Amino acid sequence: MKINQAWLAVTALACDLRAWLQLLALDGEMAKATPKTLRYRFLHVPAVIVRGQRKRRLKIPRTWPWADEITAAFHLLMALPHLT
């Protein structure tokens, strides 16, 4: 596979993942947001992964303006039935 083909495949996958995220886990303003807006709100979160009690947790600061939307989307995704 050539580098350009690999880049195209990764880009297409990223577009698909964003579209499915908006379809399955987001509502309201976030469901209609542009890719640029979603990148800023989701990928620039100052979050930390914390380990303890045999679990991993993602700690998002309460001061982050879209913390509630991110946690709601995460809970909706986790509530989806698993494919077997």
Side-chain angles (χ1 to χ4, degrees):
M1 182 180 265
K2 295 181 182 180
I3 293 174
N4 286 342
Q5 290 172 331
W7 181 257
L8 181 62
V10 169
T11 303
L13 179 64
C15 289
D16 286 346
L17 286 173
R18 181 199 49 83
W20 280 109
L21 173 72
Q22 284 184 292
L23 182 69
L24 295 175
L26 300 177
D27 58 356
E29 176 189 338
M30 295 292 278
K32 299 173 187 170
T34 63
K36 183 178 179 180
T37 301
L38 288 176
R39 266 195 317 271
Y40 178 75
R41 293 182 182 184
F42 277 81
L43 298 180
H44 292 100
V45 177
V48 178
I49 296 175
V50 179
R51 293 184 190 106
Q53 301 168 351
R54 298 183 187 183
K55 295 180 181 179
R56 290 186 191 132
R57 292 187 177 97
L58 182 64
K59 296 191 86 168
I60 300 171
R62 295 269 179 218
T63 57
W64 187 251
W66 304 283
D68 293 335
E69 285 88 353
I70 293 170
T71 54
F74 179 76
H75 289 298
L76 280 173
L77 287 175
M78 294 307 292
L80 292 173
H82 295 281
L83 297 176
T84 57

